[in-house]
Amino acid sequence: MKTILITGGTGFIGTNLCNRLIQDENNKIICLDNNYTGSLKNIENLIDNSRFKFINHDVINPIEIDEKIDEIYNLACPASPASYQGKHAILTTKTCIYGAINALDLAVKNNAKILQASTSEIYGEPLVHPQIETYFGNVNPNGIRSCYDEGKRCAESLFFDYYRIYGAKIKVVRIFNTYGPKMDKNDGRVVSNFIYQALLGKDLTIYGNGAQTRSFCYIDDLINGLIKMMATQDDITGPINLGNDGEFTISELANLIKEKINPSLNITYKPLPSDDPTQRRPDISKAKEILNWQPEIKLEDGLNKTIAYFKGII
């Protein structure tokens, strides 16, 4: 039986990954989280499973596991501006850097594969479009988003140093905007914001003029990509972009959600936050070639599933 550790396992992506991996009876899942942005409610359906174990732990501190670990998915980190800006900025940087070091140390000790959930935010306000993995990015090193952007960039650096120095079996993926069930309705990301506002009958709030673009990947597609990346041979390290290469303006997204929930709602506009990228779309050529992976779920279908989930929790 393969033992898999998922740090950040009660968060949005971690919860969905736990549920997917537990379906294979050859897997034992250890979910590690301090529930800072995750929730135990997200894994309550797994608690009684004999092949599932939850550990309440902050990855800023060294990770001690009593059993042999075969694979580690390092997902632990606040992932939305609402959770990592302001007073939580230093904590976010610590989570990115200390969390990476502690997870890597555990991986080296166990000779385990380890996957780092990096982010499209490492590209900053991109001057190359779509974003390809060889692009070094255009990141503000001291802005209000820098704790996350630079934290993730440093974590990537640590992963490749551990690979070069200690022979760590690393996998690095850069995740673009992802949405779907188990999102926190208050996490501040655009899909959950619009759906939550619309279901409550409130105006949809767009920051900026709505012309900025994003690419939206449904969670099931992302999970498939993570698992495929983990299954690659040791010489496949990444980084590899994982995201949907369809591109939509924020206005298009708002109107699509409004039409699905309540066409009579209005849209209001507020100033664009500092360092918020105006364009974001992944080049997924590597994922297609190396992983034989590409998104399959269209935005409209994914939104229908996400809206249904939100209706059930509001």
Side-chain angles (χ1 to χ4, degrees):
M1 180 173 289
K2 185 165 59 178
T3 301
I4 303 171
L5 173 67
I6 302 173
T7 71
T10 68
F12 166 46
I13 294 176
T15 298
N16 282 278
L17 183 60
C18 285
N19 276 282
R20 176 69 66 81
L21 291 174
I22 202 72
Q23 293 175 13
D24 185 339
E25 294 183 358
N26 293 316
N27 291 337
K28 177 180 179 181
I29 309 302
I30 300 176
C31 169
L32 186 145
D33 209 313
N34 66 348
N35 300 311
Y36 169 60
T37 56
S39 172
L40 285 175
K41 290 183 179 179
N42 287 338
I43 57 166
E44 61 185 2
N45 64 306
L46 300 175
I47 291 296
D48 293 332
N49 191 312
S50 62
R51 293 183 290 106
F52 182 85
K53 180 180 180 181
F54 171 72
I55 299 176
N56 192 325
H57 182 80
D58 190 333
V59 295
I60 288 176
N61 302 311
I63 304 169
E64 300 290 341
I65 305 291
D66 294 334
E67 52 196 296
K68 175 73 167 63
I69 304 297
D70 299 295
E71 295 176 356
I72 301 171
Y73 289 85
N74 187 40
L75 308 180
C77 187
S80 68
S83 59
Y84 63 64
Q85 290 180 1
K87 65 180 181 179
H88 304 300
I90 296 172
L91 175 64
T92 297
T93 302
K94 285 182 175 180
T95 302
C96 287
I97 297 173
Y98 295 157
I101 291 171
N102 291 327
L104 283 161
D105 283 342
L106 184 66
V108 170
K109 178 182 176 181
N110 285 269
N111 194 31
K113 289 185 177 183
I114 180 168
L115 183 146
Q116 167 66 4
S118 191
T119 173
S120 63
E121 295 298 330
I122 67 103
Y123 296 119
E125 173 62 277
L127 303 178
V128 172
H129 191 77
Q131 290 77 62
I132 192 167
E133 292 88 347
T134 52
Y135 175 52
F136 292 158
N138 177 37
V139 177
N140 179 354
N142 50 39
I144 61 172
R145 301 168 67 102
S146 303
C147 59
Y148 184 71
D149 302 359
E150 296 288 36
K152 288 289 191 176
R153 287 165 70 92
C154 186
E156 282 198 22
S157 175
L158 285 163
F159 265 68
F160 281 94
D161 283 337
Y162 268 73
Y163 169 71
R164 288 184 284 260
I165 296 170
Y166 300 115
K169 299 177 180 179
I170 68 166
K171 311 287 179 185
V172 177
V173 296
R174 292 174 178 165
I175 299 172
F176 283 66
N177 288 60
T178 303
Y179 70 100
K182 302 295 186 180
M183 294 186 82
D184 185 338
K185 63 181 184 295
N186 296 313
D187 79 351
R189 281 178 273 200
V190 65
V191 172
S192 54
N193 273 359
F194 286 163
I195 292 176
Y196 189 42
Q197 288 177 324
L199 289 175
L200 293 180
K202 297 181 177 180
D203 292 347
L204 275 60
T205 305
I206 288 179
Y207 294 90
N209 61 11
Q212 64 269 37
T213 66
R214 293 291 186 273
S215 301
F216 302 102
C217 185
Y218 188 67
I219 184 64
D220 288 359
D221 282 330
L222 176 70
I223 297 301
N224 288 338
L226 295 178
I227 294 172
K228 280 178 173 285
M229 183 63 172
M230 183 63 88
T232 57
Q233 298 298 314
D234 292 349
D235 61 336
I236 305 298
T237 61
I240 291 181
N241 289 335
L242 292 181
N244 196 307
D245 55 356
E247 188 174 8
F248 297 86
T249 68
I250 299 301
S251 289
E252 287 175 328
L253 177 68
N255 282 302
L256 183 57
I257 291 174
K258 186 166 72 82
E259 289 302 312
K260 287 181 175 294
I261 297 174
N262 186 346
S264 66
L265 295 175
N266 296 316
I267 295 176
T268 60
Y269 296 85
K270 292 185 178 181
L272 189 69
S274 175
D275 297 326
D276 195 68
T278 54
Q279 254 189 334
R280 187 64 61 76
R281 176 164 70 92
D283 183 308
I284 57 172
S285 300
K286 275 191 175 183
K288 290 178 178 179
E289 177 185 352
I290 297 172
L291 306 181
N292 190 28
W293 175 90
Q294 63 181 357
E296 297 179 355
I297 299 174
K298 296 180 179 179
L299 179 59
E300 185 165 351
D301 296 333
L303 287 177
N304 287 338
K305 295 179 181 181
T306 308
I307 290 168
Y309 168 76
F310 271 85
K311 284 181 177 179
I313 65 171
I314 292 178

